Amino acid sequence: KRAVTQIEKNGYPDSIYINAAKIFQGIRTEKSEDKSQVRYGDNPESPMVAFKDEHSRRASYELAFNALKYQELLEEILLDSKVYPCYSIPDELTSLLVVLLYDLQDRKFRKRKVFAEEELVAEVQEIGDYLYSYRTKLAAALARCRIKYDALSIEYFLPETIWKQEQRASALPVCFWINTLKISLEDVIRDLEMKGFTKVESVSDFGHYTYAVDQHCHDVLVFPSSLREELLNLDLFADCKLLLQ
């Protein structure tokens, strides 16, 4: 039976928030005690992180690193909105609070989806409900930060070097290996054509639903970057017949 974690703006299963919080706790920017108003508790030397599958691993790391990129902003939102400190949330769960706040604003403060058959985690449910109950104050705090720093969106809070790196990375074509133990190049091409994709000679010929075979590795297919999320939801990817490079 296939189980695919959807990477979309509806939220994630609770286990991904827990794993992302553990990762974030280990990589977050630490400040001196006299300058830090947000307390994270002790850093575990090697947090135990268990991933259900490759999709969950990628989603957990992506969420953790997004929280890291915007750590300063997220902390300012928590303090400005008076949502933090909250004495019912111990310092050891502050990382989970920050990760869930990033995800809440990324969903435009909409309620997150409940995934079928997901195993609920009490801490995620409690902190998620707590943040959602203060969504209006949090959104107002974010708006004040944007006005204060003259930022059109949260991307403008990133240092220019990181912002430029992200712009370049988002424009790069997406590459998939063909798992030849499960499927042939010909069958992959036939499946893609049935889904409306058109083969072109090179990346310079890319349109929207197009792809090219790598000139040097004939078991690698290259797609436009705009199709990344759509490709991750294909049966070919879910069945591990295409593997994301």
Side-chain angles (χ1 to χ4, degrees):
K1 181 181 176 182
R2 273 205 323 265
V4 180
T5 300
Q6 298 293 327
I7 302 176
E8 53 186 17
K9 299 294 177 67
N10 289 325
Y12 302 90
D14 286 8
S15 60
I16 289 180
Y17 293 112
I18 289 292
N19 285 336
K22 289 178 180 178
I23 296 165
F24 175 74
Q25 178 76 354
I27 62 175
R28 64 182 175 79
T29 303
E30 294 194 52
K31 303 173 185 174
S32 58
E33 287 208 12
D34 58 320
K35 291 184 179 178
S36 178
Q37 294 179 271
V38 178
R39 309 291 181 183
Y40 287 92
D42 295 328
N43 260 345
E45 289 184 8
S46 55
M48 296 297 293
V49 184
F51 302 109
K52 184 176 67 174
D53 51 34
E54 176 66 13
H55 309 282
S56 300
R57 187 181 73 84
R58 288 180 178 276
S60 299
Y61 273 99
E62 183 177 15
L63 190 53
F65 276 92
N66 279 330
L68 175 66
K69 284 189 299 186
Y70 297 104
Q71 180 180 337
E72 287 279 347
L73 172 63
L74 296 169
E75 289 178 356
E76 187 168 345
I77 292 171
L78 286 171
L79 293 166
D80 182 63
S81 64
K82 306 293 192 294
V83 169
Y84 181 91
C86 172
Y87 299 104
S88 64
I89 299 175
D91 291 350
E92 288 71 26
L93 292 179
T94 301
S95 286
L96 181 59
L97 179 72
V98 171
V99 163
L100 283 166
L101 174 58
Y102 172 81
D103 185 60
L104 179 62
Q105 68 76 34
D106 197 38
R107 300 194 316 271
K108 310 298 182 190
F109 298 95
R110 292 191 290 266
K111 198 167 184 65
R112 82 179 170 100
K113 174 184 175 181
V114 176
F115 288 79
E117 300 178 6
E118 78 165 287
E119 187 176 336
L120 301 180
V121 179
E123 292 87 352
V124 175
Q125 295 293 313
E126 180 185 344
I127 296 176
D129 290 344
Y130 172 72
L131 287 173
Y132 188 71
S133 69
Y134 285 99
R135 62 192 180 280
T136 304
K137 286 187 175 182
L138 291 166
L142 173 58
R144 284 193 291 274
C145 285
R146 286 174 54 189
I147 293 169
K148 177 180 175 182
Y149 297 106
D150 195 23
L152 295 176
S153 66
I154 70 164
E155 285 76 16
Y156 285 78
F157 289 93
L158 290 175
E160 187 177 1
T161 52
I162 295 177
W163 184 80
K164 285 182 176 178
Q165 286 174 1
E166 293 213 329
Q167 290 297 105
R168 286 197 294 269
S170 65
L172 289 173
V174 183
C175 298
F176 284 87
W177 289 91
I178 297 171
N179 183 354
T180 53
L181 295 175
K182 289 194 169 190
I183 195 169
S184 66
L185 170 62
E186 292 73 23
D187 286 339
V188 169
I189 289 175
R190 189 178 303 112
D191 192 298
L192 290 172
E193 287 178 349
M194 288 175 62
K195 290 179 170 62
F197 286 84
T198 303
K199 181 182 173 184
V200 295
E201 289 303 313
S202 70
V203 295
S204 59
D205 301 319
F206 273 171
H208 185 46
Y209 281 98
T210 54
Y211 69 96
V213 178
D214 188 274
Q215 295 178 3
H216 304 289
C217 300
H218 294 159
D219 55 353
V220 173
L221 300 182
V222 188
F223 296 84
S225 58
S226 59
L227 293 175
R228 179 188 175 90
E229 301 301 329
E230 199 167 334
L231 291 165
L232 293 179
N233 289 317
L234 288 180
D235 289 342
L236 287 169
F237 182 74
D239 292 333
C240 297
K241 293 175 179 176
L242 286 182
L243 307 173
L244 180 63
Q245 171 62 47

